[in-house]
Amino acid sequence: MIVSKNDVTELERTQEALARKAQALARANAELEDFTYSVSHDLKEPLRAIEAFSTFLAEDYGDKLDEEGRRYIGVVRENAVRMRDLIEDLLRLSRIGRMHHECTTISAEALVEDVCRDLAFALEEKKVDLRVQPGLPTITCDEVHMKQVFKNLISNAIKFNDKPQPAVQVACRDDNGAYTFSISDNGIGIDQQYHEKIFKIFQRLNRREEYKDTGVGLTICKKVVEAHGGAIWVEQSQPGEGTTFSFTVPKEPQRAEEAGGNQVGQRTEASHHLAG
Amino acid sequence: MDKELKPVTILLVEDSPDDVEITRRALERGQVKNHLLVARDGEEALGILYARRDADGALPGLILLDLNLPKVDGREVLEKIKSDPKLKRIPVIALTSSTREEDVVRTYELGVNTFISKPVKFEDFIRVITTIRDYWILIATLPSVEHD
């Protein structure tokens, strides 16, 4: 085959154009995350005033209102707190993209123990029968973010559960290049048609008065898992029959460029670009 | 504790009148005996501090500083305070909405004594204020900055 000089320059041009596109995309992504972050912060300030002044209203004038009036104030305060939770979840989500992706090798067992300590109150209150498979492997990951994945999945397993004694199991299997972790519960389950939808931001399946939830937790899980080069999915679930979530963590930490999907490394680079 | 009996002069640097009122009330609810000076921007804050310093008057025992301020920014105020031989001993607590890592690091580099992000819930804010009182006013031993 004869390769002409023209072909080579054509190839070089295409590669350059591709690199430029990738850069522009990374920059747009970083800008979007910067935007989310700023918006979330600026939203907190008026919210703090709404919460505080409705508290003052209840404290100073509560006795001048009738029961219905006091209930209205309660509704305002409850919603302020709900909005705070939403904003904090949004911040958490945007932070995944903003922070450096620093991988360390840690024991998944210690990570899960750590999560259980954080969730001790909920575990005790709901009398959860939690079983963690002994000898969970060591994994290479961003510890803070991966902890969030386990925490969100385990707390969902407890939260979306109507049994007198929720049962939660954490297990892991070795699948050649990756470890597959699974978190199973005997909770309310998820209808087949929602198995993919639930990873979308603000997607909730239950009425608010039944299960308090911001609808951001699983989106965070997906973002973290994919940034590590893994995948997350509903392994099995039927309404009333519990749920098993699975996700993979590659044994060899993948470079962000290879991981596809959410590329934390590139974003960080773009943030530097913006700052400079 | 006898330290508690003496009201502490606090300089609050805060541009939002709502936040000033919230802080005032939290101090009251947290039973922090205080004399509150309020500066609405960085320029005013430095004006108050320099005037008191130059008149050899009573300097505040504690500064609560918001970082995002009009005119002279909170970081600049902090830098000026921490590079002034007379003012640098006053504990400065950054009270801000930010939890941004860059902000936290930068503020500590400028010499802030503590960085606290303002909680949304008023009850949580009272807890923050009483914790500040317990630590900075009741527990910590500081060089005397208040001249009587």
Side-chain angles (χ1 to χ4, degrees), chain A residues 147-211:
Chain A
K147 185 180 160 187
Q148 194 71 49
V149 173
F150 279 100
K151 191 171 175 178
N152 289 356
L153 291 176
I154 295 174
S155 64
N156 277 355
I158 305 170
K159 190 193 293 174
F160 299 104
N161 206 312
D162 52 358
K163 302 286 182 300
Q165 187 179 36
V168 181
Q169 279 164 34
V170 180
C172 179
R173 62 172 193 265
D174 189 337
D175 284 334
N176 294 322
Y179 291 110
T180 303
F181 289 91
S182 53
I183 283 99
S184 314
D185 64 57
N186 59 345
I188 59 172
I190 303 160
D191 196 295
Q192 176 88 39
Q193 59 173 316
Y194 298 118
H195 284 194
E196 282 186 27
K197 235 178 156 183
I198 46 166
F199 292 102
K200 284 198 182 134
I201 192 162
F202 296 136
Q203 181 69 57
R204 296 176 310 110
L205 302 179
N206 303 285
R207 285 212 302 263
R208 196 160 292 137
E209 59 267 34
E210 289 174 328
Y211 298 99

Side-chain angles (χ1 to χ4, degrees), chain A residues 37 48 51 59-60 98, chain B residues 19 25 29 100 102 122:
Chain A
Y37 198 85
R48 196 167 47 243
E51 208 285 325
E59 284 176 355
D60 297 353
R98 294 178 53 85
Chain B
D19 272 1
R25 187 148 172 149
R29 285 280 307 276
R100 202 187 266 247
E102 301 102 272
F122 181 63

Side-chain angles (χ1 to χ4, degrees), chain B:
Chain B
M1 274 183 258
D2 62 340
K3 272 187 180 177
E4 198 176 13
L5 300 171
K6 213 170 98 188
V8 61
T9 303
I10 298 173
L11 173 63
L12 172 65
V13 192
E14 171 65 72
D15 69 316
S16 146
D18 293 342
D19 272 1
V20 170
E21 207 172 327
I22 293 170
T23 309
R24 202 185 282 280
R25 187 148 172 149
L27 285 165
E28 200 178 288
R29 285 280 307 276
Q31 296 174 333
V32 181
K33 287 203 184 105
N34 70 91
H35 172 57
L36 194 68
L37 304 168
V38 180
R40 300 292 303 279
D41 59 51
E43 213 173 79
E44 205 182 327
L46 289 172
I48 292 174
L49 289 169
Y50 290 156
R52 288 183 168 239
R53 176 199 64 185
D54 298 339
D56 247 350
L59 288 171
L62 197 67
I63 298 173
L64 301 178
L65 179 69
D66 186 17
L67 290 181
N68 299 318
L69 296 167
K71 293 188 202 166
V72 183
D73 187 48
R75 293 156 195 89
E76 217 179 313
V77 175
L78 179 62
E79 216 171 350
K80 293 247 166 71
I81 293 171
K82 289 305 176 186
S83 59
D84 185 293
K86 277 193 180 165
L87 301 178
K88 69 178 176 193
R89 290 186 300 181
I90 308 172
V92 179
I93 295 160
L95 262 179
T96 161
S97 307
S98 179
T99 45
R100 202 187 266 247
E101 180 73 10
E102 301 102 272
D103 281 347
V104 178
V105 172
R106 172 115 181 84
T107 317
Y108 274 111
E109 274 170 2
L110 290 175
V112 82
N113 297 83
T114 307
F115 188 104
I116 293 171
S117 89
K118 293 181 200 168
V120 167
K121 263 180 104 171
F122 181 63
E123 276 165 39
D124 297 338
F125 191 59
I126 296 176
R127 207 167 312 132
V128 166
I129 289 290
T130 51
T131 308
I132 290 175
R133 176 205 59 192
D134 289 347
Y135 183 75
W136 288 104
I137 302 176
L138 298 182
I139 296 173
T141 302
L142 298 165
S144 154
V145 281
E146 276 190 272
H147 305 249
D148 287 315

Side-chain angles (χ1 to χ4, degrees), chain A residues 189-252:
Chain A
I190 303 160
D191 196 295
Q192 176 88 39
Q193 59 173 316
Y194 298 118
H195 284 194
E196 282 186 27
K197 235 178 156 183
I198 46 166
F199 292 102
K200 284 198 182 134
I201 192 162
F202 296 136
Q203 181 69 57
R204 296 176 310 110
L205 302 179
N206 303 285
R207 285 212 302 263
R208 196 160 292 137
E209 59 267 34
E210 289 174 328
Y211 298 99
K212 284 199 193 325
D213 185 46
T214 57
V216 184
L218 286 174
T219 312
I220 292 176
C221 290
K222 187 173 159 74
K223 206 166 170 183
V224 172
V225 168
E226 288 181 353
H228 283 83
I232 184 167
W233 66 94
V234 178
E235 182 91 50
Q236 59 159 41
S237 188
Q238 281 299 321
E241 287 173 23
T243 304
T244 300
F245 276 98
S246 292
F247 66 94
T248 55
V249 180
K251 289 179 183 174
E252 290 292 319

Side-chain angles (χ1 to χ4, degrees), chain A residues 58-178:
Chain A
E59 284 176 355
D60 297 353
Y61 300 97
D63 54 355
K64 291 193 177 67
L65 294 168
D66 61 9
E67 205 176 308
E68 191 70 344
R70 283 193 293 273
R71 190 180 69 82
Y72 290 169
I73 298 177
V75 172
V76 172
R77 290 173 65 186
E78 254 170 49
N79 277 283
V81 170
R82 203 172 94 70
M83 184 142 169
R84 175 202 64 183
D85 294 344
L86 279 168
I87 291 172
E88 264 159 22
D89 272 352
L90 278 179
L91 276 177
R92 223 168 272 143
L93 190 65
S94 79
R95 221 176 272 142
I96 295 168
R98 294 178 53 85
M99 268 163 54
H100 273 288
H101 200 44
E102 282 166 6
C103 286
T104 49
T105 302
I106 49 157
S107 140
E109 200 165 285
L111 200 68
V112 172
E113 272 172 27
D114 210 16
V115 168
C116 293
R117 259 194 301 277
D118 286 357
L119 297 174
F121 180 76
L123 286 168
E124 193 146 316
E125 191 191 40
K126 289 196 132 188
K127 300 187 180 63
V128 178
D129 175 22
L130 176 75
R131 285 164 201 224
V132 181
Q133 178 186 315
L136 291 180
T138 53
I139 49 175
T140 305
C141 64
D142 179 315
E143 187 178 350
V144 177
H145 290 151
M146 197 50 76
K147 185 180 160 187
Q148 194 71 49
V149 173
F150 279 100
K151 191 171 175 178
N152 289 356
L153 291 176
I154 295 174
S155 64
N156 277 355
I158 305 170
K159 190 193 293 174
F160 299 104
N161 206 312
D162 52 358
K163 302 286 182 300
Q165 187 179 36
V168 181
Q169 279 164 34
V170 180
C172 179
R173 62 172 193 265
D174 189 337
D175 284 334
N176 294 322

